[in-house]
Amino acid sequence: MSGGLLDGRPRVQLSLDLTGLDEAIATAEIGVRAGVDWLEAGTPLILAEGLHAVRALHDRFPEHPVKTMDAGYLEAEMMFRAGAAFVVVMAVAHEHTVREAVRAGRERRGHVMADLMLHPDKPGMARRLEEWGVDVVIVHTGYDERHHDARRTPLEDLAAVRAAVKLPLQAVGGLSIEQAARMPGLGAPLVVVGAPLAVADREFRPGADPEGLFRILRDFVAAVKGPAS
């Protein structure tokens, strides 16, 4: 199921962790103009707008795969039908929840990412996820976890997970922009940048400074993938 989307080359994902569709679309437009590859309908957006957000992003940006987070056959199949190219299932879910999400992906020609957040044995779990057929493993430090302990980042576990599996990796949560741009060199070529962005104590979002956000994203894409030829 890897195909062209998971061909080993670095990809930049813009996570739209926003609560309104208009702002999400505006941010996505800036990201696409800056050169991002994938768009994520983040959890706040899904909670606020539901499947409508996935359909709207897919219709507006048909050449940019949409990623969303859910699990199990029914929910995954709904997301794929709405236009999502990727869904995420939590590694701490039951084995058959993971397998059912994978089944939906196979039937709908979609991809399944598995998130290792809070699993006590991330390398061992990553190996099982590879056996169960997932397409990508995410090494993730959650929002509340890293805000409770600012020392926690995916870098603690990334090397061990990289050594455990051959699958593409994504590392997310608690990374600076500079750290995130270095992820391909550490074996995690599917790079995430969030929106809005907080840089040097300033928040960048479409309504406040769209050109500032564009410049940050453009420079980030270039740092990950190299300057456009």
Side-chain angles (χ1 to χ4, degrees):
M1 283 302 297
S2 58
L5 294 178
L6 299 173
D7 57 9
R9 291 184 295 171
R11 297 288 196 280
V12 176
Q13 170 190 309
L14 177 61
S15 296
L16 301 167
D17 293 321
L18 303 164
T19 57
L21 183 56
D22 289 345
E23 189 174 35
I25 292 290
T27 306
E29 287 178 342
I30 293 170
V32 167
R33 185 159 60 97
V36 304
D37 302 289
W38 300 347
L39 303 170
E40 178 183 356
T43 300
L45 185 60
I46 293 294
L47 289 173
E49 302 282 356
L51 285 173
H52 175 62
V54 179
R55 293 192 186 97
L57 287 168
H58 176 65
D59 291 346
R60 188 68 168 267
F61 308 101
E63 302 302 316
H64 287 73
V66 178
K67 171 191 165 187
T68 186
M69 186 171 190
D70 227 299
Y73 181 87
L74 177 62
E75 290 87 351
E77 197 266 348
M78 289 171 63
M79 293 294 181
F80 287 132
R81 278 195 288 112
F86 294 85
V87 299
V88 179
V89 62
M90 300 305 297
V92 292
H94 192 277
E95 172 184 347
H96 289 285
T97 300
V98 178
R99 289 185 181 274
E100 285 296 287
V102 169
R103 180 166 72 91
R106 298 296 183 265
E107 291 180 3
R108 289 285 172 178
R109 301 179 65 83
H111 297 79
V112 175
M113 295 177 159
D115 190 326
L116 293 171
M117 185 171 65
L118 296 181
H119 199 283
D121 178 13
K122 292 178 174 61
M125 189 68 236
R127 284 190 288 269
R128 290 192 289 278
L129 292 166
E130 189 169 47
E131 293 170 2
W132 298 344
V134 305
D135 301 293
V136 177
V137 169
I138 305 173
V139 184
H140 184 189
T141 304
Y143 179 87
D144 289 326
E145 181 183 6
R146 66 181 185 266
H147 281 78
H148 177 72
D149 183 352
R151 297 169 298 178
R152 300 300 305 275
T153 80
L155 294 173
E156 294 179 76
D157 305 295
L158 182 58
V161 175
R162 177 70 286 163
V165 296
K166 296 179 180 178
L167 290 174
L169 299 185
Q170 186 175 78
V172 60
L175 298 175
S176 67
I177 290 180
E178 292 77 14
Q179 288 174 322
R182 294 199 298 269
M183 287 301 102
L186 298 177
L190 310 179
V191 183
V192 180
V193 60
L197 294 171
V199 181
D201 297 323
R202 183 179 176 195
E203 189 173 75
F204 289 84
R205 59 171 65 240
D209 186 0
E211 285 306 307
L213 178 59
F214 167 74
R215 288 191 295 272
I216 291 171
L217 292 175
R218 178 198 60 196
D219 293 346
F220 181 79
V221 170
V224 171
K225 303 199 301 184
S229 56

